[in-house]
Amino acid sequence: MFSWLGTDDRRRKDPEVFQTVSDGLKKLYKTKLLPLEEHYKFHEFHSPALEDADFDNKPMVLLVGQYSTGKTTFIR
């Protein structure tokens, strides 16, 4: 049932090395998650497939709160 949790001798002998974290995440997404999302038609009812730009761009953060609670101070 959980064969993917077992030890994989090939992976231990030949680890994949990526230049950046985003390169590794892109490869994992395209090889592992994207086929699963396409099989279950995830993109039809939730959100579109991720593109390379989604991994390369800086994350966005939304700060919400009452006035004078330190949002601008937190940004600085």
Side-chain angles (χ1 to χ4, degrees):
M1 181 175 181
F2 293 110
S3 61
W4 54 273
L5 282 176
T7 59
D8 187 1
D9 294 331
R10 182 184 49 88
R11 198 172 358 161
R12 190 178 308 148
K13 292 177 187 173
D14 244 354
E16 279 190 83
V17 178
F18 299 102
Q19 294 297 323
T20 63
V21 172
S22 63
D23 288 342
L25 288 174
K26 279 189 260 188
K27 174 125 193 295
L28 282 173
Y29 177 74
K30 288 180 181 176
T31 59
K32 304 286 182 182
L33 281 177
L34 188 58
L36 191 65
E37 289 178 352
E38 290 171 345
H39 176 75
Y40 288 105
K41 300 182 185 341
F42 178 75
H43 311 295
E44 293 182 14
F45 66 87
H46 191 270
S47 62
L50 297 177
E51 298 175 358
D52 288 346
D54 294 319
F55 294 100
D56 295 334
N57 290 336
K58 294 180 179 178
M60 289 191 286
V61 177
L62 174 65
L63 296 176
V64 180
Q66 295 286 340
Y67 62 90
S68 189
T69 57
K71 296 179 298 290
T72 305
T73 305
F74 178 76
I75 292 170
R76 289 186 201 153

